[in-house]
Short mmCIF file of all heavy atoms in Angstrom, two decimals:
data_model
loop_
_atom_site.label_atom_id
_atom_site.label_comp_id
_atom_site.label_asym_id
_atom_site.label_seq_id
_atom_site.Cartn_x
_atom_site.Cartn_y
_atom_site.Cartn_z
N GLY A 1 -31.51 29.57 -53.55
CA GLY A 1 -31.05 29.84 -54.83
C GLY A 1 -31.13 31.30 -55.16
O GLY A 1 -31.43 32.15 -54.14
N VAL A 2 -30.96 31.68 -56.32
CA VAL A 2 -30.97 33.10 -56.84
C VAL A 2 -32.44 33.65 -56.68
O VAL A 2 -32.66 34.77 -56.32
CB VAL A 2 -30.35 33.23 -58.22
CG1 VAL A 2 -30.38 34.58 -58.68
CG2 VAL A 2 -28.87 32.65 -58.27
N GLY A 3 -33.33 33.05 -57.29
CA GLY A 3 -34.65 33.49 -57.29
C GLY A 3 -35.47 33.16 -56.05
O GLY A 3 -35.06 32.65 -55.16
N THR A 4 -36.63 33.83 -56.01
CA THR A 4 -37.48 33.60 -54.81
C THR A 4 -37.91 32.05 -54.77
O THR A 4 -38.33 31.61 -55.77
CB THR A 4 -38.71 34.42 -54.76
OG1 THR A 4 -39.44 34.38 -56.02
CG2 THR A 4 -38.21 35.96 -54.68
N ASN A 5 -38.04 31.50 -53.64
CA ASN A 5 -38.56 30.22 -53.42
C ASN A 5 -37.66 29.11 -54.24
O ASN A 5 -38.24 28.10 -54.59
CB ASN A 5 -39.94 30.11 -53.70
CG ASN A 5 -40.82 30.87 -52.62
OD1 ASN A 5 -40.30 31.06 -51.54
ND2 ASN A 5 -41.97 31.23 -53.07
N GLN A 6 -36.54 29.54 -54.68
CA GLN A 6 -35.77 28.46 -55.43
C GLN A 6 -34.69 27.93 -54.42
O GLN A 6 -34.09 28.53 -53.70
CB GLN A 6 -34.96 29.21 -56.58
CG GLN A 6 -34.21 28.25 -57.38
CD GLN A 6 -33.36 29.09 -58.47
OE1 GLN A 6 -33.23 30.30 -58.42
NE2 GLN A 6 -32.89 28.32 -59.50
N ILE A 7 -34.71 26.59 -54.51
CA ILE A 7 -33.66 25.89 -53.64
C ILE A 7 -32.78 24.94 -54.62
O ILE A 7 -33.30 24.25 -55.46
CB ILE A 7 -34.45 24.91 -52.72
CG1 ILE A 7 -35.22 25.81 -51.65
CG2 ILE A 7 -33.42 24.04 -51.90
CD1 ILE A 7 -36.09 24.89 -50.75
N ILE A 8 -31.47 25.11 -54.34
CA ILE A 8 -30.51 24.31 -55.06
C ILE A 8 -29.79 23.42 -54.01
O ILE A 8 -29.87 23.71 -52.79
CB ILE A 8 -29.53 25.17 -55.78
CG1 ILE A 8 -28.79 26.24 -54.91
CG2 ILE A 8 -30.24 25.84 -56.98
CD1 ILE A 8 -27.67 26.87 -55.66
N TYR A 9 -29.15 22.48 -54.44
CA TYR A 9 -28.48 21.52 -53.48
C TYR A 9 -27.09 21.57 -53.71
O TYR A 9 -26.54 21.51 -54.89
CB TYR A 9 -29.01 20.10 -53.74
CG TYR A 9 -30.50 20.00 -53.16
CD1 TYR A 9 -31.50 20.23 -54.01
CD2 TYR A 9 -30.65 19.63 -51.90
CE1 TYR A 9 -32.88 20.01 -53.65
CE2 TYR A 9 -31.99 19.55 -51.52
CZ TYR A 9 -33.11 19.69 -52.27
OH TYR A 9 -34.34 19.71 -51.86
N GLU A 10 -26.32 21.51 -52.58
CA GLU A 10 -24.86 21.39 -52.59
C GLU A 10 -24.67 19.97 -51.88
O GLU A 10 -25.22 19.56 -51.08
CB GLU A 10 -24.18 22.39 -51.76
CG GLU A 10 -24.19 23.72 -52.35
CD GLU A 10 -23.46 24.80 -51.51
OE1 GLU A 10 -22.97 24.55 -50.42
OE2 GLU A 10 -23.28 25.91 -51.88
N PHE A 11 -23.54 19.37 -52.39
CA PHE A 11 -23.34 17.95 -51.89
C PHE A 11 -22.07 18.05 -51.04
O PHE A 11 -21.00 18.56 -51.44
CB PHE A 11 -23.16 16.97 -53.10
CG PHE A 11 -24.39 16.68 -53.83
CD1 PHE A 11 -24.83 17.57 -54.83
CD2 PHE A 11 -25.23 15.60 -53.37
CE1 PHE A 11 -26.10 17.27 -55.50
CE2 PHE A 11 -26.35 15.39 -54.07
CZ PHE A 11 -26.89 16.25 -55.00
N LYS A 12 -22.14 17.26 -49.93
CA LYS A 12 -20.87 17.18 -49.07
C LYS A 12 -20.65 15.74 -48.95
O LYS A 12 -21.43 14.83 -48.83
CB LYS A 12 -21.24 17.67 -47.67
CG LYS A 12 -21.86 18.97 -47.62
CD LYS A 12 -20.79 20.08 -47.47
CE LYS A 12 -21.42 21.49 -47.32
NZ LYS A 12 -20.58 22.53 -47.21
N ASP A 13 -19.25 15.39 -49.01
CA ASP A 13 -18.74 14.10 -48.90
C ASP A 13 -18.82 13.55 -47.41
O ASP A 13 -18.60 14.13 -46.45
CB ASP A 13 -17.35 13.99 -49.34
CG ASP A 13 -17.13 14.16 -50.81
OD1 ASP A 13 -18.13 13.80 -51.53
OD2 ASP A 13 -16.12 14.53 -51.28
N ALA A 14 -19.29 12.30 -47.25
CA ALA A 14 -19.28 11.56 -45.97
C ALA A 14 -18.56 10.28 -46.48
O ALA A 14 -19.24 9.36 -47.02
CB ALA A 14 -20.58 11.32 -45.42
N ALA A 15 -17.27 10.16 -46.38
CA ALA A 15 -16.60 9.05 -46.93
C ALA A 15 -15.37 8.60 -46.14
O ALA A 15 -14.96 9.36 -45.27
CB ALA A 15 -16.18 9.42 -48.30
N LEU A 16 -14.85 7.42 -46.43
CA LEU A 16 -13.47 6.98 -46.05
C LEU A 16 -12.62 7.57 -47.11
O LEU A 16 -12.74 7.18 -48.20
CB LEU A 16 -13.54 5.55 -45.80
CG LEU A 16 -12.33 4.79 -45.37
CD1 LEU A 16 -11.82 5.42 -43.96
CD2 LEU A 16 -12.29 3.42 -45.36
N LYS A 17 -11.55 8.23 -46.70
CA LYS A 17 -10.71 8.86 -47.52
C LYS A 17 -9.26 8.79 -47.15
O LYS A 17 -8.85 8.97 -46.02
CB LYS A 17 -11.07 10.29 -47.84
CG LYS A 17 -10.24 11.15 -48.69
CD LYS A 17 -10.61 12.58 -48.73
CE LYS A 17 -9.76 13.44 -49.64
NZ LYS A 17 -10.21 14.78 -49.60
N LEU A 18 -8.36 8.26 -48.05
CA LEU A 18 -6.92 8.10 -47.75
C LEU A 18 -6.21 9.06 -48.75
O LEU A 18 -6.39 9.04 -49.94
CB LEU A 18 -6.37 6.77 -47.91
CG LEU A 18 -4.89 6.48 -47.94
CD1 LEU A 18 -4.36 6.85 -46.57
CD2 LEU A 18 -4.59 5.13 -48.46
N THR A 19 -5.40 10.00 -48.19
CA THR A 19 -4.55 10.83 -49.02
C THR A 19 -3.19 10.63 -48.53
O THR A 19 -2.93 10.78 -47.34
CB THR A 19 -5.08 12.35 -48.80
OG1 THR A 19 -6.29 12.53 -48.95
CG2 THR A 19 -4.16 13.24 -49.76
N VAL A 20 -2.23 10.30 -49.55
CA VAL A 20 -0.90 10.01 -49.08
C VAL A 20 0.12 10.57 -50.24
O VAL A 20 -0.25 10.60 -51.42
CB VAL A 20 -0.64 8.51 -49.00
CG1 VAL A 20 -0.83 7.83 -50.28
CG2 VAL A 20 0.75 8.14 -48.45
N THR A 21 1.13 11.21 -49.66
CA THR A 21 2.15 11.70 -50.63
C THR A 21 3.59 10.93 -50.15
O THR A 21 3.99 11.28 -49.01
CB THR A 21 2.43 13.17 -50.41
OG1 THR A 21 1.18 13.86 -50.71
CG2 THR A 21 3.40 13.65 -51.31
N PRO A 22 3.90 10.00 -50.94
CA PRO A 22 5.30 9.31 -50.58
C PRO A 22 6.49 9.88 -51.16
O PRO A 22 6.44 10.49 -52.13
CB PRO A 22 4.94 7.89 -51.15
CG PRO A 22 4.23 8.16 -52.38
CD PRO A 22 3.27 9.31 -52.07
N SER A 23 7.60 9.79 -50.46
CA SER A 23 8.91 10.25 -50.88
C SER A 23 9.92 8.97 -50.67
O SER A 23 9.97 8.57 -49.42
CB SER A 23 9.39 11.41 -50.27
OG SER A 23 8.50 12.49 -50.44
N VAL A 24 10.61 8.61 -51.71
CA VAL A 24 11.62 7.64 -51.49
C VAL A 24 12.82 8.21 -51.02
O VAL A 24 13.38 9.03 -51.64
CB VAL A 24 11.78 6.82 -52.79
CG1 VAL A 24 12.83 5.68 -52.55
CG2 VAL A 24 10.46 6.13 -53.25
N VAL A 25 13.39 7.73 -49.86
CA VAL A 25 14.59 8.23 -49.31
C VAL A 25 15.69 7.36 -49.85
O VAL A 25 15.47 6.14 -50.09
CB VAL A 25 14.44 8.20 -47.73
CG1 VAL A 25 15.70 8.78 -47.02
CG2 VAL A 25 13.27 8.98 -47.20
N GLY A 26 16.90 7.96 -49.88
CA GLY A 26 18.07 7.20 -50.63
C GLY A 26 18.36 5.84 -50.09
O GLY A 26 18.94 5.01 -50.79
N ASP A 27 18.08 5.61 -48.73
CA ASP A 27 18.57 4.34 -48.06
C ASP A 27 17.50 3.30 -48.22
O ASP A 27 17.42 2.29 -47.55
CB ASP A 27 18.86 4.54 -46.70
CG ASP A 27 17.69 5.15 -45.88
OD1 ASP A 27 16.67 5.54 -46.37
OD2 ASP A 27 17.95 5.31 -44.61
N GLY A 28 16.52 3.44 -49.03
CA GLY A 28 15.35 2.38 -49.43
C GLY A 28 14.26 2.59 -48.35
O GLY A 28 13.28 1.85 -48.49
N ASN A 29 14.22 3.67 -47.65
CA ASN A 29 13.03 3.84 -46.73
C ASN A 29 12.06 4.89 -47.53
O ASN A 29 12.34 5.41 -48.53
CB ASN A 29 13.37 4.45 -45.40
CG ASN A 29 14.19 3.49 -44.57
OD1 ASN A 29 14.05 2.29 -44.56
ND2 ASN A 29 15.25 4.07 -43.79
N LEU A 30 10.85 4.93 -46.90
CA LEU A 30 9.79 5.84 -47.45
C LEU A 30 9.40 6.85 -46.44
O LEU A 30 9.18 6.45 -45.27
CB LEU A 30 8.55 4.92 -47.86
CG LEU A 30 8.78 3.95 -49.02
CD1 LEU A 30 7.56 3.02 -49.05
CD2 LEU A 30 8.79 4.76 -50.23
N TYR A 31 9.24 8.09 -46.88
CA TYR A 31 8.75 9.08 -46.09
C TYR A 31 7.29 9.29 -46.54
O TYR A 31 7.07 9.54 -47.74
CB TYR A 31 9.55 10.41 -46.16
CG TYR A 31 8.96 11.60 -45.40
CD1 TYR A 31 9.08 11.61 -44.09
CD2 TYR A 31 8.22 12.51 -46.11
CE1 TYR A 31 8.43 12.73 -43.37
CE2 TYR A 31 7.68 13.70 -45.48
CZ TYR A 31 7.75 13.70 -44.08
OH TYR A 31 7.20 14.72 -43.48
N LEU A 32 6.33 9.22 -45.70
CA LEU A 32 4.86 9.30 -46.07
C LEU A 32 4.24 10.44 -45.33
O LEU A 32 4.31 10.47 -44.00
CB LEU A 32 4.10 7.96 -45.59
CG LEU A 32 4.71 6.65 -46.30
CD1 LEU A 32 3.93 5.51 -45.70
CD2 LEU A 32 4.48 6.69 -47.78
N ASN A 33 3.56 11.18 -45.92
CA ASN A 33 2.71 12.28 -45.47
C ASN A 33 1.29 11.83 -45.71
O ASN A 33 0.93 11.83 -46.82
CB ASN A 33 3.04 13.59 -46.14
CG ASN A 33 2.25 14.77 -45.51
OD1 ASN A 33 1.55 14.64 -44.53
ND2 ASN A 33 2.55 15.95 -45.97
N MET A 34 0.53 11.45 -44.75
CA MET A 34 -0.73 10.88 -44.86
C MET A 34 -1.89 11.50 -44.06
O MET A 34 -1.62 12.12 -42.93
CB MET A 34 -0.78 9.47 -44.40
CG MET A 34 0.20 8.64 -45.19
SD MET A 34 0.25 6.85 -44.84
CE MET A 34 -0.22 6.83 -43.10
N VAL A 35 -3.09 11.53 -44.65
CA VAL A 35 -4.34 12.00 -43.97
C VAL A 35 -5.38 10.89 -44.19
O VAL A 35 -5.65 10.59 -45.40
CB VAL A 35 -4.80 13.34 -44.44
CG1 VAL A 35 -6.13 13.85 -43.73
CG2 VAL A 35 -3.72 14.38 -44.40
N VAL A 36 -5.98 10.37 -43.16
CA VAL A 36 -7.10 9.44 -43.24
C VAL A 36 -8.22 10.01 -42.65
O VAL A 36 -8.20 10.42 -41.47
CB VAL A 36 -6.72 8.04 -42.55
CG1 VAL A 36 -7.83 7.05 -42.68
CG2 VAL A 36 -5.36 7.52 -43.19
N ASN A 37 -9.34 10.09 -43.39
CA ASN A 37 -10.67 10.56 -42.86
C ASN A 37 -11.76 9.41 -42.92
O ASN A 37 -11.74 8.80 -43.89
CB ASN A 37 -11.18 11.75 -43.86
CG ASN A 37 -10.25 12.90 -43.73
OD1 ASN A 37 -9.34 13.08 -44.47
ND2 ASN A 37 -10.70 13.87 -42.89
N LYS A 38 -12.48 9.34 -41.82
CA LYS A 38 -13.55 8.47 -41.89
C LYS A 38 -14.79 9.40 -41.48
O LYS A 38 -15.06 9.46 -40.32
CB LYS A 38 -13.38 7.26 -40.95
CG LYS A 38 -14.58 6.36 -41.12
CD LYS A 38 -14.57 5.13 -40.25
CE LYS A 38 -15.65 4.18 -40.44
NZ LYS A 38 -16.97 4.74 -40.53
N ASP A 39 -15.44 9.86 -42.47
CA ASP A 39 -16.69 10.71 -42.17
C ASP A 39 -17.89 9.94 -42.41
O ASP A 39 -17.95 9.18 -43.47
CB ASP A 39 -16.55 11.87 -43.05
CG ASP A 39 -15.38 12.82 -42.91
OD1 ASP A 39 -14.80 12.62 -41.70
OD2 ASP A 39 -15.06 13.55 -43.75
N SER A 40 -18.87 9.93 -41.53
CA SER A 40 -20.04 9.24 -41.76
C SER A 40 -21.27 10.10 -41.50
O SER A 40 -21.34 10.98 -40.63
CB SER A 40 -20.12 8.07 -40.75
OG SER A 40 -20.02 8.40 -39.41
N PRO A 41 -22.47 9.81 -42.25
CA PRO A 41 -23.69 10.61 -42.06
C PRO A 41 -24.35 10.30 -40.85
O PRO A 41 -24.37 9.27 -40.43
CB PRO A 41 -24.41 10.30 -43.36
CG PRO A 41 -23.88 9.06 -43.76
CD PRO A 41 -22.56 8.87 -43.34
#
């Protein structure tokens, strides 16, 4: 931390995470930009 002997905590994610950005294409199809994370402690 800022002071002497001061400790603060930061938090990090350990999770299953799905991130997706879909785009509908004119012919009825889907374009998907995806990221899947499985982080474990």
Side-chain angles (χ1 to χ4, degrees):
V2 178
T4 58
N5 296 332
Q6 182 185 13
I7 296 176
I8 58 174
Y9 289 91
E10 289 182 357
F11 290 87
K12 307 271 183 181
D13 287 333
L16 179 64
K17 179 180 176 183
L18 167 67
T19 306
V20 62
T21 306
S23 296
V24 179
V25 182
D27 58 357
N29 291 327
L30 293 163
Y31 174 75
L32 301 174
N33 186 1
M34 299 186 326
V35 179
V36 179
N37 295 86
K38 184 181 182 318
D39 301 338
S40 58

